Amino acid sequence: DGQPFYATGASLIFSGIIQLVISELPKICVIVFVVIFITLLAGFRNLKDAVILQMVSLVTLLLSTGCMALADIPYNFFNVIVLATVFGMSVDAAVHILVHLKEEGVNPQTMESVAKAVGGAILTTVLGFVTLKLSWHPGLNSLGDVALICLTFNLLVSLVLLPAFLVWQSQKVGKAASR
């Protein structure tokens, strides 16, 4: 009949929003990274601590996105939200560990105490996100998958790599002081 046809509706709009979020992801990550770093720098007033804390997030994010690539998990609107959330949560876990170890010293008793608290917090968050795997919606399932990957790496980096680095650093400082 010669009339123009316009595609409309929630699905079309939602698809556009998803594409926009995914295409803007690199810029959003850089902005979040900078804002968190400035916040850490202002809070700790120590460049070295801010860098250490930010590296925990960066390593967690790199391991998580690498695992997503290996598992062929595509980015979507739902799991991108988890990446941003875990980025902040990994800083939170690292702050608790760093502060406790600096205040009470790098020793097994302090590490055991803080590991129980941080590990318990991360594991309860994992349980909350894993329930999304019960959903029939593929987006929520993907959110559960990515949360499980990210939080597992957050646990590993926070409770293994960060303490190992802090122990190595304290031993290095101790050796330098004894010379």
Side-chain angles (χ1 to χ4, degrees):
D1 75 346
Q3 296 292 330
F5 174 76
Y6 299 101
T8 62
S11 295
L12 186 62
I13 293 169
F14 193 62
S15 173
I17 290 171
I18 291 170
Q19 291 307 314
L20 179 66
V21 167
I22 292 172
S23 69
E24 293 292 317
L25 183 62
K27 184 168 84 173
I28 292 168
C29 285
V30 168
I31 291 169
V32 168
F33 188 82
V34 169
V35 168
I36 289 174
F37 185 74
I38 291 169
T39 302
L40 291 170
L41 203 50
F44 281 89
R45 301 179 200 273
N46 183 315
L47 179 63
K48 187 169 112 182
D49 288 348
V51 168
I52 290 170
L53 293 168
Q54 195 73 323
M55 290 306 294
V56 170
S57 293
L58 191 58
V59 170
T60 298
L61 190 63
L62 289 173
L63 290 171
S64 298
T65 55
C67 186
M68 286 174 63
L70 289 173
D72 201 29
I73 299 173
Y75 294 101
N76 63 44
F77 183 73
F78 293 97
N79 61 31
V80 166
I81 292 168
V82 172
L83 289 172
T85 303
V86 171
F87 192 77
M89 290 170 58
S90 62
V91 170
D92 182 49
V95 164
H96 287 290
I97 292 168
L98 183 70
V99 167
H100 281 286
L101 292 179
K102 284 186 104 172
E103 286 178 354
E104 299 174 30
V106 179
N107 60 63
Q109 296 81 15
T110 302
M111 190 55 222
E112 181 181 350
S113 170
V114 74
K116 286 179 183 176
V118 170
I122 293 172
L123 289 174
T124 57
T125 304
V126 166
L127 292 174
F129 275 114
V130 166
T131 60
L132 296 173
K133 292 292 298 160
L134 302 174
S135 171
W136 57 268
H137 191 279
L140 293 178
N141 260 283
S142 173
L143 194 150
D145 289 337
V146 173
L148 183 58
I149 290 167
C150 290
L151 291 167
T152 299
F153 281 119
N154 183 15
L155 191 67
L156 173 73
V157 173
S158 296
L159 296 182
V160 177
L161 296 181
L162 176 61
F165 175 77
L166 295 173
V167 166
W168 173 77
Q169 187 181 37
S170 71
Q171 289 173 345
K172 191 172 110 176
V173 169
K175 286 180 184 177
S178 66
R179 290 183 195 183

